[in-house]
Amino acid sequence: MKKNNQKFGFTLIELLVVIAIIGILTTIVLVMLNGAKDKSRAGSAKATMANIKSQAALYMSANGNYGNITNCDSGMFATDTTLDAQMESLKGYVGVVTCNSDQTSPANDQAWAMSVLLPGAGAGNWCVDSNNRVGVFALTGATDFTCD
């Protein structure tokens, strides 16, 4: 009778190679997912800012002004619960939101602008204002109340 001395299975080297390949593929997938997460947060921030701009127009038509906006926690952002909730949501996406208003106009309420630094490397600033400007702009100072 003949004995079969062959062993079945994988060698240690083969197993280590497979584990290394799985590790490399996992790293690639995680890096790609992190970029998608930043793009998703930036898209959510843009959509929220568009909603804020629309809600601000409704606030203006209902109240005749934007309120005394001196920062992101005053004026219409403090008195309108929908705008306040949207502002808090926006802060969750981007952290810091810059809001300016035209401090020289009557009642400091005729023009306003809001800018955020979008998440992700090289994403830039996103700005909306009361003149319906929307886009990649940054507010350059405390007296800057338009996106240009």
Side-chain angles (χ1 to χ4, degrees), residues 17-40:
V17 167
V18 169
I19 291 171
I21 290 171
I22 290 172
I24 290 169
L25 291 175
T26 302
T27 302
I28 291 170
V29 168
L30 288 176
V31 167
M32 292 173 72
L33 286 178
N34 194 31
K37 181 179 160 184
D38 284 342
K39 287 181 183 178
S40 171

Side-chain angles (χ1 to χ4, degrees), residues 35 38-39 42 46 116-126 135-137:
D38 284 342
K39 287 181 183 178
K46 289 178 182 180
V116 299
L117 178 61
L118 294 173
N125 289 289
W126 192 255
V136 183
F137 304 105

